[in-house]
Amino acid sequence: MDLELTEDQIAIRDAVADLCARYPQDYWQRLDASREYPEEFVAALTDAGWLSILIPEEYGGGGLGVVEAALVLETINRSGCASTAAHAQMYTMGTVLRHGSDEQKKRYLPKIASGELRLQAFGVTEPDAGTDTTRIRTSAVRKGDHYVVNGGKIFTSRFQHSDLMLLLVRTTPYDDVAKKSDGISVLLVDLREAGEQIKVQPIETMVSHETNQLFFDDLIVPAENLIGVEGKGFRSILSGMNAERILVASEVLGDGFWFIERASEYASQRQVFGRPIGQNQGIQFPIAQAYAQLEAASLLRWKAAAKFDAGQQPGMEANAAKLLASQATFVAANAAMDTFGGYGMTVEYGIERKFREARLPLVAPISNNLVLAYLGQNVLGMPKSY
């Protein structure tokens, strides 16, 4: 695996950074204060083709891999912007591209690539199931040429700015399957046709993430919108989740490196007691420690991305990269906050906004405790802990 960026990848990084420079800190502060969706920023990413980078060229996309998608998301956050407003369109591609039918790809991918349609909503988590995905109870009952969906989801983000939603449902009840991961299916829901069949209740969170609880009341979904094989959707969704882990790790790393760059610059300029505060080891060493941890996490992220692009399922690498990236970034966030001191608490410097963002990846899109359980059981062969 080549650890150096190619000329094309450097060009991608620089182009994304140039786009992000048009959306400085005051843009994000204003949106954070008003809890608005960054519509203008997402439109710019769409128009530039960055959100369709994983879609094959034959459907109007960039035809590139998860490595390049990871680079895009890292650069966005490293520039001080927030990729979470648009990242779902990238990681849902793993499921659609690998398990969608040719007809589904022809129908949806060109419009997603052009920006005519947005695939930003991912309905997985339920209030009573949490991270025990096999325990979801949202049901989809086949009736002729369509499914009837009832139930609900929680922590489904960007619903209000999405035309399509990837939805995980049970087509066979949990108690009726021999293997608990069986009986789960994936549907591609056209939200433009749902109308009153979906009720939405926004959830206010510590970061402006446009998160919602959804309720499905006899939602009609055409049977042709089934992704993959009925009852085997758990494996299909895992394909997308590995991509999700890699891409989330990448944007989290972008935040981490942003903290390091800001903290290093401030520590070199800020004078207290007649010397730069960065000359003091109590300031310098935590920043350096966080940087080393970020670089280590980044290497595992690149390994996971390379394996995914090679057609493998890098469950260990993808999950461990997300674990290490989230931990290293929170260390960097704390180091930056300590470096800025009281100024870090102010809105002016942007540290407090990014600090809030840095706490989320420790528990989402999967809790780090679940990642550790996965590694202990599936990689190290120890008894299942849950």
Side-chain angles (χ1 to χ4, degrees):
M1 182 176 66
D2 191 350
L3 298 179
E4 298 296 327
L5 295 179
T6 66
E7 290 186 5
D8 288 343
Q9 290 167 342
I10 291 172
I12 289 172
R13 181 196 64 191
D14 292 346
V16 173
D18 287 344
L19 185 153
C20 290
R22 292 158 30 197
Y23 301 90
Q25 186 168 284
D26 58 357
Y27 172 81
W28 295 101
Q29 288 171 339
R30 175 175 58 81
L31 293 180
D32 185 57
S34 60
R35 306 187 74 82
E36 292 180 58
Y37 184 82
E39 187 68 56
E40 181 184 348
F41 177 69
V42 175
L45 289 175
T46 302
D47 292 343
W50 299 124
L51 298 186
S52 60
I53 196 169
L54 290 173
I55 296 176
E57 290 182 296
E58 63 184 292
Y59 301 114
L64 298 175
V66 168
V67 168
E68 287 76 20
L71 182 60
V72 169
L73 293 180
E74 178 186 328
T75 303
I76 290 172
N77 282 29
R78 195 165 184 162
S79 301
C81 301
S83 61
T84 52
H87 64 178
Q89 188 153 300
M90 287 190 175
Y91 62 67
T92 50
M93 285 297 104
T95 299
V96 176
L97 291 174
R98 290 192 174 189
H99 302 284
S101 67
D102 289 340
E103 194 280 328
Q104 289 168 339
K105 293 175 185 178
K106 291 176 183 177
R107 190 193 332 166
Y108 292 112
L109 292 184
K111 292 182 179 181
I112 294 174
S114 69
E116 184 178 343
L117 292 179
R118 283 184 181 173
L119 174 55
Q120 289 287 0
F122 197 26
V124 177
T125 307
E126 296 185 8
D128 296 328
T131 48
D132 187 359
T133 305
T134 62
R135 287 284 189 175
I136 63 170
R137 293 191 294 183
T138 296
S139 66
V141 178
R142 179 73 180 261
K143 293 187 176 181
D145 61 355
H146 64 270
Y147 289 94
V148 180
V149 179
N150 285 283
K153 298 292 179 179
I154 199 167
F155 298 129
T156 299
S157 300
R158 298 164 300 274
F159 177 88
Q160 292 88 340
H161 289 86
S162 187
D163 302 297
L164 305 171
M165 176 173 63
L166 208 61
L167 181 64
L168 202 63
V169 296
R170 269 214 167 272
T171 43
T172 304
Y174 180 89
D175 293 336
D176 294 342
V177 295
K179 185 178 179 182
K180 66 180 184 178
S181 59
D182 285 344
I184 293 176
S185 302
V186 182
L187 300 176
L188 190 61
V189 179
D190 192 328
L191 300 179
R192 300 168 301 171
E193 300 174 353
E196 294 299 314
Q197 297 167 359
I198 302 180
K199 300 288 193 303
V200 185
Q201 181 176 312
I203 300 173
E204 289 194 14
T205 60
M206 65 187 287
V207 292
S208 182
H209 207 54
E210 200 182 75
T211 300
N212 308 278
Q213 185 167 5
L214 307 180
F215 304 90
F216 309 117
D217 183 13
D218 288 337
L219 171 66
I220 303 300
V221 180
E224 61 187 17
N225 284 25
L226 173 72
I227 302 291
V229 179
E230 181 179 303
K232 301 297 180 182
F234 189 76
R235 180 172 295 275
S236 299
I237 213 76
L238 285 180
S239 173
M241 284 182 175
N242 279 334
E244 177 193 56
R245 305 287 191 265
I246 296 167
L247 296 176
V248 167
S250 298
E251 63 190 10
V252 171
L253 286 167
D255 279 335
F257 286 120
W258 180 88
F259 281 120
I260 295 301
E261 291 164 7
R262 295 298 304 277
S264 299
E265 180 183 12
Y266 186 78
S268 298
Q269 296 174 352
R270 171 70 166 160
Q271 297 273 337
V272 177
F273 299 118
R275 54 193 275 163
I277 61 173
Q279 191 173 340
N280 302 315
Q281 293 178 351
I283 294 293
Q284 185 180 117
F285 283 10
I287 299 172
Q289 178 69 56
Y291 175 74
Q293 291 176 232
L294 287 165
E295 286 289 349
S298 180
L299 287 175
L300 189 54
R301 175 271 311 262
W302 289 131
K303 180 180 179 181
K307 291 185 73 171
F308 190 93
D309 284 342
Q312 303 176 44
Q313 286 292 4
M316 187 285 289
E317 293 86 354
N319 279 280
K322 182 270 172 185
L323 170 79
L324 297 178
S326 63
Q327 292 173 334
T329 292
F330 198 60
V331 170
N334 279 289
M337 186 63 81
D338 287 343
T339 300
F340 278 80
Y343 290 112
M345 300 288 182
T346 68
V347 172
E348 176 185 358
Y349 287 85
I351 300 298
E352 63 86 27
R353 173 176 61 86
K354 281 290 187 181
F355 187 90
R356 285 184 278 117
E357 292 178 8
R359 185 59 180 84
L360 178 62
L362 294 174
V363 296
I366 184 173
S367 167
N368 281 349
N369 286 340
L370 266 295
V371 173
L372 292 171
Y374 168 85
L375 295 175
Q377 176 191 342
N378 296 288
V379 179
L380 300 179
M382 291 188 283
K384 189 173 183 178
S385 62
Y386 61 93

